[in-house]
Amino acid sequence: MAQIILLCVEYNTCMNFGKKILTLALILIPLAVGVGGQPLADSISHNEAQILLHKARNGGDFSAETKALESILEFSPWRGELWQRLGRLYLDTGQMERAADAFGKAAGLKQLDDQGVIWLADALFNAGRAEEARLLLEKIDTTNLFILSQAAALLRQHHFLDSCSDVIEKALLIEPENENFNFQLGIL
């Protein structure tokens, strides 16, 4: 009987220890996955990149600005305005695929403004992705006549005349008496 009681006590002790280990594992495993699965921002290099970005913008050094933006966006990829600026820098240096990718990230974050849509379409056209660019410009939703004029010019330049007419008609819905858009539509 004494042996049975000792076995029961030993069993209970083992079970209590097992519950403690299980509880500890349930706490530590998600913590370890969270810390180990995400790279932690190196605040020193992030701060250095911010300083470099400021200096590059003030000095007009687009190469340094590009490097600084790339570094900053490694740590804060949710900054759509920086993706748009990086896309513009890539566009200016002829890196069309990278520009389209950067503008696409800004668009995915819903932080691509109307001018950014025009730049994205330009990058797509120059990267050989004309159909994507055409669809993007056809769907442009703005009341800004300057943006609509740029969209029409890009479409006309790449021989999408029906789409160009559609964009001009959108502009004429906003300002029916606009001589420039009426002339363009008449030519088309």
Side-chain angles (χ1 to χ4, degrees):
M1 181 72 156
Q3 287 180 340
I4 293 175
I5 292 175
L6 284 175
L7 285 174
C8 287
V9 168
E10 188 178 318
Y11 176 78
N12 284 337
T13 304
C14 287
M15 289 304 290
N16 286 337
F17 181 73
K19 286 181 183 178
K20 288 178 183 177
I21 293 293
L22 181 62
T23 303
L24 184 63
L26 288 174
I27 293 170
L28 291 179
I29 289 174
L31 183 63
V33 169
V35 170
Q38 292 281 8
L40 297 176
D42 180 7
S43 62
I44 294 172
S45 61
H46 184 70
N47 288 339
E48 287 173 356
Q50 291 282 5
I51 292 167
L52 179 63
L53 177 63
H54 182 70
K55 286 180 181 177
R57 282 186 175 168
N58 287 340
D61 185 353
F62 299 127
S63 176
E65 185 178 358
T66 301
K67 288 177 186 174
L69 285 171
E70 289 170 344
S71 179
I72 291 168
L73 286 167
E74 283 181 29
F75 299 114
S76 51
W78 57 86
R79 301 210 31 208
E81 80 282 1
L82 294 183
W83 282 114
Q84 181 169 317
R85 177 63 185 152
L86 184 61
R88 183 62 210 188
L89 291 170
Y90 286 146
L91 187 65
D92 289 344
T93 57
Q95 300 175 63
M96 299 306 163
E97 282 296 333
R98 292 180 88 179
D101 183 51
F103 288 130
K105 288 180 179 173
L109 294 167
K110 302 202 183 322
Q111 295 182 25
L112 188 67
D113 63 20
D114 292 339
Q115 186 62 59
V117 172
I118 297 298
W119 293 335
L120 171 57
D122 191 21
L124 290 170
F125 275 127
N126 288 307
R129 296 160 56 186
E131 192 58 29
E132 279 181 74
R134 181 188 66 80
L135 291 172
L136 181 67
L137 292 175
E138 278 182 358
K139 295 177 185 177
I140 196 164
D141 185 29
T142 184
T143 58
N144 185 324
L145 294 177
F146 180 69
I147 296 296
L148 291 172
S149 178
Q150 289 181 12
L154 273 173
L155 289 164
R156 185 174 48 255
Q157 179 183 354
H158 293 281
H159 309 291
F160 290 107
L161 301 181
D162 290 338
S163 298
C164 180
S165 295
D166 293 343
V167 169
I168 291 172
E169 288 173 2
K170 282 183 191 179
L172 287 171
L173 289 173
I174 298 165
E175 191 176 309
E177 300 300 318
N178 186 299
E179 293 175 3
N180 182 34
F181 286 119
N182 278 304
F183 177 74
Q184 287 183 42
L185 188 59
I187 296 294
L188 289 171

